[in-house]
Amino acid sequence: MLRSCVVTAMISLSILFSAAVRADGPIVIKFAHVVADDTPKGKGALLFKKLVEERLAGKVSVEVYPNSSLVGDADEMQALLDNEVQMLAPSLSKFDKYTKKLQVFDLPFLFDDGDAVARFQRREKSRELLRSMVNDNIYGLAYWNNGLKQLSSTQALHRPEDAAGLAFRIQPSAVLEAQFNAVGAKPVRLAFADVYKSLAAGVVQGAENPWSNIASQNMHKVQPFITESNHGVLAYMLITNGQFWNKLPFAIRSELEGIILEVTQAVNDEAEALNRRDRDRILAGGTSKLVTLTDAERQAWREKMLPVWKAYEDEIGADVIRAALTVNRRH
Ligand code: LMR
């Protein structure tokens, strides 16, 4: 009697559980970002969706919201913390509120090139930074790279003095603010979604972005000059809500981690080619004139901006800056 009661109870429970699973359907990951689909990050998000839906079909589905269409710079982090979205990939310049150490990526003229940035991201110091916001429930999954930033403007910028008095749009980063202050320009914090219209309306006269963001937002159409300065980097941290992530069934989380490794590799391998393609497209379009710096001119920008390293050394940590410097070949 007792045995049959237990069996009946178990059967009812399992019916209940499977009904719950059916009612709940697959786990949904909402992945929001602020750029266009045809950019390193945009393509990465779509590749992530494709691989997840192939390999975890029926278990996990991914909804990608590009172009600040669900949440943007102002509200995306809160949305992640509220578990309204489960994945974001904000630029490393957008984490000031949570950690100062990531500001290392904003230091001007720190990295020789994109490869150096990728090398640094594989080092222990960078890996530690992925976990630097866990107490805020922000869990870093990977670094995704876009590329080196160029200076676009209404005026030809050859020497740092050429930027004096011009207003430049910046991301919300104290280091970027200091970088533009160092050349006598006026930094203005604006959300990415507002950059094109602010440039078009003349609210700001310049900006800094890799070619892929300039092209996909049509910034070049309102910026007659682009100085190929390669003065800084634009890189992202793929992040998730820590509680959401830890509650995922182990097998699903492991599969997602494998997919993230694969997508990260693809994004970082392809970013440079995408930027080259967009550089060619912009220059072929003829809306913007390319300003190429001589070695002496580039050195002049570097010298003006270099004091920013010292000013932020305490906040970032001398050890972190030193670790970043060692990845350059000339070091
Ligand atoms: C910006 O605000 O300029 C960038 O962070 C946008 C992006 O995500 O590439």
Side-chain angles (χ1 to χ4, degrees), residues 245-319:
W245 195 250
N246 288 326
K247 277 195 196 139
L248 288 173
F250 177 78
I252 288 186
R253 200 170 57 227
S254 305
E255 186 69 42
L256 289 173
E257 280 164 356
I259 292 171
I260 287 168
L261 273 179
E262 209 173 311
V263 176
T264 299
Q265 188 75 42
V267 169
N268 294 346
D269 285 352
E270 218 192 327
E272 204 180 315
L274 276 179
N275 276 296
R276 248 196 327 269
R277 178 201 70 183
D278 288 339
R279 176 187 189 275
D280 292 348
R281 282 184 181 167
I282 290 173
L283 298 180
T287 51
S288 314
K289 195 169 171 324
L290 181 72
V291 177
T292 308
L293 300 177
T294 64
D295 286 350
E297 285 168 347
R298 194 159 191 280
Q299 190 54 26
W301 284 93
R302 189 179 147 83
E303 271 166 23
K304 279 275 187 225
M305 290 179 169
L306 228 51
V308 175
W309 295 17
K310 197 79 207 145
Y312 284 86
E313 189 179 277
D314 285 349
E315 277 191 7
I316 296 170
D319 56 331

Side-chain angles (χ1 to χ4, degrees), residues 34-35 41 73 89 91 94 146 169 171 192 208-209 213 234 236:
V34 300
V35 293
K41 177 163 61 184
D73 281 335
S91 125
K94 295 179 181 169
N146 186 327
R169 177 269 169 169
Q171 303 178 75
F192 188 66
E208 52 164 12
N209 256 295
N213 276 354
L234 180 62
Y236 309 111

Side-chain angles (χ1 to χ4, degrees), residues 10-317:
M10 279 172 71
I11 291 171
S12 329
L13 260 180
S14 83
I15 289 169
L16 251 179
F17 183 68
S18 61
V21 169
R22 266 204 309 277
D24 286 345
I27 296 163
V28 177
I29 297 180
K30 293 188 181 179
F31 186 161
H33 64 81
V34 300
V35 293
D37 283 333
D38 193 17
T39 57
K41 177 163 61 184
K43 283 170 102 81
L46 291 174
L47 178 61
F48 175 72
K49 173 181 170 66
K50 178 174 175 287
L51 297 184
V52 169
E53 292 183 352
E54 273 168 19
R55 295 180 198 168
L56 290 166
K59 296 183 185 147
V60 182
S61 77
V62 179
E63 296 171 4
V64 176
Y65 297 91
N67 285 317
S68 312
S69 53
L70 181 63
V71 284
D73 281 335
D75 52 359
E76 63 177 17
M77 214 66 98
Q78 195 53 50
L80 184 89
L81 295 174
D82 294 342
N83 203 26
E84 281 162 14
V85 299
Q86 290 70 37
M87 270 196 190
L88 302 171
S91 125
L92 299 174
S93 314
K94 295 179 181 169
F95 290 101
D96 260 29
K97 199 173 147 198
Y98 304 97
T99 173
K100 299 289 178 202
K101 291 189 186 296
L102 285 169
Q103 296 185 118
V104 67
F105 288 95
D106 281 340
L107 292 178
F109 295 99
L110 182 66
F111 297 103
D112 278 356
D113 50 31
D115 287 346
V117 180
R119 278 197 295 279
F120 177 52
Q121 290 165 346
R122 288 193 291 270
R123 295 272 173 94
E124 196 49 37
K125 272 276 174 265
S126 282
R127 309 308 300 167
E128 282 168 15
L129 298 183
L130 287 174
R131 302 284 171 270
S132 59
M133 301 174 283
V134 282
N135 291 340
D136 290 300
N137 199 27
I138 299 171
Y139 187 83
L141 295 162
Y143 291 106
W144 285 6
N145 290 325
N146 186 327
L148 296 174
K149 290 183 289 187
Q150 319 303 341
L151 289 168
S152 65
S153 173
T154 50
Q155 296 183 30
L157 305 174
H158 290 276
R159 300 187 58 79
E161 299 77 58
D162 299 332
L166 298 180
F168 281 83
R169 177 269 169 169
I170 57 160
Q171 303 178 75
S173 149
V175 169
L176 296 179
E177 207 156 54
Q179 168 195 279
F180 280 104
N181 282 332
V183 295
K186 289 184 263 179
V188 180
R189 294 176 180 220
L190 289 172
F192 188 66
D194 295 332
V195 181
Y196 173 81
K197 49 181 185 279
S198 305
L199 288 168
V203 176
V204 287
Q205 291 80 50
E208 52 164 12
N209 256 295
W211 293 102
S212 59
N213 276 354
I214 298 175
S216 56
Q217 299 297 317
N218 281 323
M219 293 180 201
H220 54 292
K221 299 198 174 149
V222 289
Q223 294 278 265
F225 298 95
I226 302 178
T227 297
E228 195 158 36
S229 50
N230 291 324
H231 63 282
V233 302
L234 180 62
Y236 309 111
M237 192 187 286
L238 181 67
I239 54 170
T240 186
N241 175 311
Q243 268 167 10
F244 162 79
W245 195 250
N246 288 326
K247 277 195 196 139
L248 288 173
F250 177 78
I252 288 186
R253 200 170 57 227
S254 305
E255 186 69 42
L256 289 173
E257 280 164 356
I259 292 171
I260 287 168
L261 273 179
E262 209 173 311
V263 176
T264 299
Q265 188 75 42
V267 169
N268 294 346
D269 285 352
E270 218 192 327
E272 204 180 315
L274 276 179
N275 276 296
R276 248 196 327 269
R277 178 201 70 183
D278 288 339
R279 176 187 189 275
D280 292 348
R281 282 184 181 167
I282 290 173
L283 298 180
T287 51
S288 314
K289 195 169 171 324
L290 181 72
V291 177
T292 308
L293 300 177
T294 64
D295 286 350
E297 285 168 347
R298 194 159 191 280
Q299 190 54 26
W301 284 93
R302 189 179 147 83
E303 271 166 23
K304 279 275 187 225
M305 290 179 169
L306 228 51
V308 175
W309 295 17
K310 197 79 207 145
Y312 284 86
E313 189 179 277
D314 285 349
E315 277 191 7
I316 296 170

